Amino acid sequence: MLDIYPIPALKDNYIWAIHDKRHAVVVDPGDAAPVLDFLNSRQLQLSAILCTHHHNDHTGGICDLLQVYNVPAYGPRLESIDCMRYPVGEADLIYVPAMDLHISIIDIPGHTKGHIAYLTLGSVFCGDTLFGCGCGRIFDGNANDLNHSLRRLGNLPEETHVYCTHEYTEANIRFARRIEPDNIDLEAREETVKALRASRKPTLPSTIGLEKATNPFLRCHEPDVVGSVELHVGHLLQTELEVFTALREWKNSA
């Protein structure tokens, strides 16, 4: 039976470990040390490394891990990542024989130009594109791509588990409440998240259904979100992309 476990790393990152009590695959290892501690403490053998994009807090541990384990390291084919020898992208498939694990890849650019996500076990590992109640900043991508990628993730089955890579949910909810103060689903999520963080537990994974109900960046078509963003910018917005772009800029300075 496969399990997914969060390995806390750096300031607020999670390195996700998929394991079967014998072998493991890790996603976005920004630091090798906590991964090695996790593997050694559970006597697990690393079988593969998956990376969603090129930022160092997602890639910084790859080379060090490959000094210990001779395994394939997969990453986005449109980005340059040290020690990544297996570039993948849209519609590619990965098979990890030691775990009988099948993984598919979709392109979700916007946060970065070549950002990808991994789909497996009814879950999506989406790096910094979709966060709990938020989304990533735009670096070398653009707003149109990021909006399209979020809509694409929103079209996954609602029960899909969302494994992003930062513990940002509580802060994101505070911003979302400014956008939709009357959203009862968001209010309920805030209480749940506060309790989890008070107990020092992760707020992740989320689900696509929960994000669609509470995440303003997936709700740029909703009248209350449109109205709040228009009030903030001081003029009418004609398209969902305009709403999304203004909302992302608002969050940048919030």
Side-chain angles (χ1 to χ4, degrees):
M1 182 176 177
L2 294 169
D3 192 16
I4 302 172
Y5 188 90
I7 304 173
L10 305 173
K11 180 182 177 182
D12 48 33
N13 285 60
Y14 291 126
I15 300 166
W16 296 106
I18 308 168
H19 72 91
D20 63 0
K21 295 184 169 43
R22 293 179 301 164
H23 305 93
V25 171
V26 295
V27 185
D28 284 344
D31 186 1
V35 175
L36 293 170
D37 288 345
F38 173 81
L39 296 172
N40 291 333
S41 66
R42 289 162 176 78
Q43 296 183 316
L44 299 173
Q45 178 70 34
L46 187 64
S47 293
I49 297 168
L50 311 178
C51 183
T52 61
H53 66 289
H54 66 82
H55 288 160
N56 189 64
D57 63 323
H58 296 250
T59 66
I62 293 176
C63 295
D64 289 339
L65 288 172
L66 293 178
Q67 292 289 320
V68 181
Y69 297 98
N70 181 23
V71 299
Y74 299 92
R77 61 172 161 238
L78 296 181
E79 299 186 358
S80 177
I81 297 171
D82 288 346
C83 300
M84 190 271 291
R85 299 291 182 263
Y86 292 82
V88 291
E90 182 70 30
D92 284 339
L93 300 174
I94 295 169
Y95 179 60
V96 184
M99 301 168 64
D100 192 26
L101 180 65
H102 296 264
I103 305 165
S104 59
I105 292 92
I106 59 172
D107 291 341
I108 51 168
H111 175 67
T112 64
K113 186 176 181 180
H115 201 300
I116 61 175
Y118 299 90
L119 297 168
T120 188
L121 303 175
S123 303
V124 59
F125 296 86
C126 53
D128 284 358
T129 296
L130 174 64
F131 290 135
C133 216
C135 74
R137 289 176 179 262
I138 297 167
F139 285 86
D140 50 299
N142 60 69
N144 182 62
D145 283 348
L146 183 56
N147 183 50
H148 181 267
S149 294
L150 290 169
R151 291 173 66 180
R152 187 174 190 193
L153 291 171
N155 286 330
L156 294 172
E158 293 202 350
E159 63 273 18
T160 303
H161 287 96
V162 176
Y163 290 90
C164 55
T165 325
H166 288 279
E167 185 55 78
Y168 289 165
T169 313
E170 192 169 25
N172 286 341
I173 287 175
R174 287 196 294 271
F175 177 73
R177 291 277 281 161
R178 296 169 63 183
I179 311 303
E180 288 191 283
D182 299 323
N183 183 328
I184 59 174
D185 293 318
L186 183 56
E187 182 179 1
R189 186 177 189 182
E190 182 176 40
E191 293 305 311
T192 299
V193 164
K194 283 181 177 178
L196 287 170
R197 296 311 292 155
S199 300
R200 297 185 179 181
K201 295 179 179 178
T203 63
L204 303 165
S206 174
T207 66
I208 292 296
L210 181 59
E211 295 307 324
K212 289 169 72 173
T214 60
N215 189 328
F217 293 97
L218 292 180
R219 297 172 58 78
C220 290
H221 58 286
E222 294 289 341
D224 285 350
V225 174
V226 175
S228 289
V229 178
E230 288 180 338
L231 184 64
H232 175 73
V233 300
H235 59 81
L236 296 178
L237 299 169
Q238 301 301 316
T239 67
E240 182 179 327
L241 179 58
E242 288 182 356
V243 175
F244 174 82
T245 302
L247 182 62
R248 183 58 262 182
E249 290 175 353
W250 184 1
K251 181 64 167 65
N252 289 346
S253 58

